[in-house]
Amino acid sequence: MGKLVSAVATSHTFGLPDNHIEATERVAEGMREIGRRVRAAKPDILIIVSSDHLTNFDLDVQIPFAVGMADGYEPLGDLGVPVRRYPGNRGFAAGLVQFASNDGFDLVGLERVRPDHGIAVPNAMINVHADVPLVPLYINTVMETIPTCKRSYELGRVVARYIREQRPNAERVAIVGSGGLSHWICMPDSGRINEEWDRGILDRIACGQGRELATWTPASIIEAGGNGGLEIAAWACMLGAAGDATGSAIYYEPMHNWWTGMGGVAMHIDAA
Amino acid sequence: MQRPPVELHRLISQTVVNPSLNEQLRCDARSVYTHFGIPADQQALLLADPRKALATLNVHPNLQFKFLAALGLLGLKPASIQPYLETPHGQAR
């Protein structure tokens, strides 16, 4: 049986420092620390869960859940992410699709995708040597009927069972929930941040109460965290995989000039 | 249920895979709109005030963001994480 050795979550956007150079550096250092913690767990597979930003997917065919099946990926290059090739893991992805199907999740397999910043920014922070096979797992919270946090949390539980029950002995898997926190994009509240909501998420996760996110409806999330806040479905997926683990908040900054509450957590997982 | 602006959504999605469209939009938006089959009434709104038109037409927020960026009308300036990435030797760049 395989083993989940690392579970983290982080925001995935970035902006100019403007007059907030120190806060920008704290965010960057927080993201780098998350990268270091994941690398320290020596994963053989890196699952990054995120919404696409309508760069690879479009509204003519709306796909809520999808997984990258390819042998390798080149990022889109947005937000300055270096365009270099990262290995994938076709066997892991194909096995996940089959296992999830048996468990009530119909994941669409992607043979070609150029990950945008949702996948690519945390990957760049973690996969410094571009040597850990990447498996992009999409929970597309930009679709018209979006996957709920409840459904996403359950998918995380399925991923964890897949790792335990189907993967080879000693295979080490890391999972990253990517997105959030509060942000309003092209809505009347554009630019708003809800720091109280953001810190409440980090506190719940630290105390091992992250499963509470699974009870939040899309409407309640939009009201409290904006349409961008819906991306915490990816965090819910990570939390489903992490089970009852507690965690540590690694960083939080309300970056008003970026329109986004920026935060990250690392779960306490036994990586031995 | 109101029909979404599907032609405009397709145009904006195409700007991601074909960035040269952005230059064409800045130079001759009407031709691009016509090529993508955007209805005349929507074209008029877009040509008069793109930002207001995107909201009026209920364009998807993520696509509004991309379109405003393509037209140089987005309030956020583009940024890069490259200076902040850790190098393979363990240092920030």
Side-chain angles (χ1 to χ4, degrees):
Chain A
M1 57 190 245
K3 186 177 170 72
L4 184 71
V5 297
S6 180
V8 301
T10 178
S11 300
H12 58 223
T13 193
F14 214 78
L16 293 175
D18 293 331
N19 295 323
H20 306 280
I21 295 172
E22 291 177 1
T24 299
E25 183 51 43
R26 287 194 294 269
V27 170
E29 177 54 23
M31 288 178 155
R32 289 192 296 264
E33 173 62 19
I34 283 179
R36 287 190 288 268
R37 291 197 186 202
V38 175
R39 290 197 300 277
K42 295 183 168 48
D44 301 307
I45 303 280
L46 178 62
I47 304 171
I48 300 181
V49 189
S50 179
S51 183
D52 180 73
H53 298 84
L54 293 178
T55 49
N56 292 279
F57 300 83
D58 62 41
L59 295 176
D60 277 342
V61 179
Q62 302 201 28
I63 298 172
F65 294 108
V67 61
M69 310 277 283
D71 300 309
Y73 304 94
E74 280 190 0
L76 181 68
D78 58 330
L79 286 184
V81 173
V83 179
R84 60 188 298 195
R85 188 166 174 82
Y86 294 85
N89 192 304
R90 184 178 296 276
F92 184 97
L96 176 59
V97 170
Q98 183 62 62
F99 186 89
S101 174
N102 295 339
D103 222 9
F105 275 92
D106 299 311
L107 304 179
V108 171
L110 303 172
E111 189 60 49
R112 183 172 62 186
V113 66
R114 292 197 69 186
D116 69 20
H117 61 279
I119 301 283
V121 164
N123 184 57
M125 290 289 183
I126 295 167
N127 219 337
V128 171
H129 301 280
D131 59 350
V132 182
L134 169 66
V135 177
L137 177 57
Y138 287 99
I139 298 179
N140 281 323
T141 52
V142 295
M143 299 304 170
E144 286 300 321
T145 300
I146 70 164
T148 61
C149 280
K150 179 180 178 181
R151 192 85 170 124
S152 302
Y153 184 90
E154 183 56 34
L155 177 59
R157 288 164 56 88
V158 170
V159 170
R161 282 202 301 275
Y162 170 64
I163 295 167
R164 280 197 308 272
E165 297 176 15
Q166 296 280 310
R167 297 307 297 167
N169 277 346
E171 182 174 84
R172 301 170 67 83
V173 183
I175 186 166
V176 181
S178 171
L181 290 159
S182 63
H183 56 295
W184 280 255
I185 296 296
C186 294
M187 294 181 78
D189 278 347
S190 281
R192 177 186 167 199
I193 292 172
N194 188 341
E195 184 172 347
E196 182 179 354
W197 187 73
D198 294 342
R199 290 191 183 277
I201 290 170
L202 301 177
D203 289 343
R204 285 177 177 84
I205 292 173
C207 296
Q209 295 168 0
R211 69 174 64 217
E212 189 176 322
L213 270 65
T215 68
W216 294 357
T217 64
S220 70
I221 293 169
I222 290 174
E223 181 175 350
N227 54 341
L230 292 168
E231 292 172 345
I232 62 160
W235 290 47
C237 182
M238 179 281 290
L239 291 165
D244 295 326
T246 57
S248 297
I250 304 301
Y251 73 98
Y252 181 75
E253 297 288 336
M255 299 297 289
H256 292 278
N257 54 322
W258 300 359
W259 294 6
T260 307
M262 300 287 295
V265 297
M267 307 307 290
H268 303 145
I269 301 283
D270 178 12
Chain B
M1 180 183 171
Q2 187 177 1
R3 182 179 187 271
V6 295
E7 295 85 6
L8 184 52
H9 282 171
R10 285 177 195 137
L11 161 58
I12 301 171
S13 289
Q14 273 299 302
T15 63
V16 177
V17 296
N18 182 9
S20 67
L21 270 175
N22 296 329
E23 182 60 32
Q24 294 176 48
L25 281 166
R26 286 190 286 270
C27 294
D28 186 2
R30 187 187 297 275
S31 295
V32 178
Y33 296 154
T34 301
H35 178 75
F36 276 83
I38 293 170
D41 57 335
Q42 295 182 16
Q43 291 195 34
L45 291 173
L46 288 163
L47 290 167
D49 186 337
R51 186 189 301 276
K52 185 177 175 185
L54 292 172
T56 301
L57 296 172
N58 205 24
V59 172
H60 191 290
N62 284 77
L63 297 180
Q64 287 193 39
F65 189 93
K66 288 174 171 45
F67 198 63
L68 290 171
L71 296 179
L73 299 176
L74 194 63
L76 287 174
K77 301 168 209 165
S80 172
I81 63 160
Q82 285 214 31
Y84 302 94
L85 293 173
E86 199 162 306
T87 69
H89 306 293
Q91 301 161 326
R93 286 170 195 265

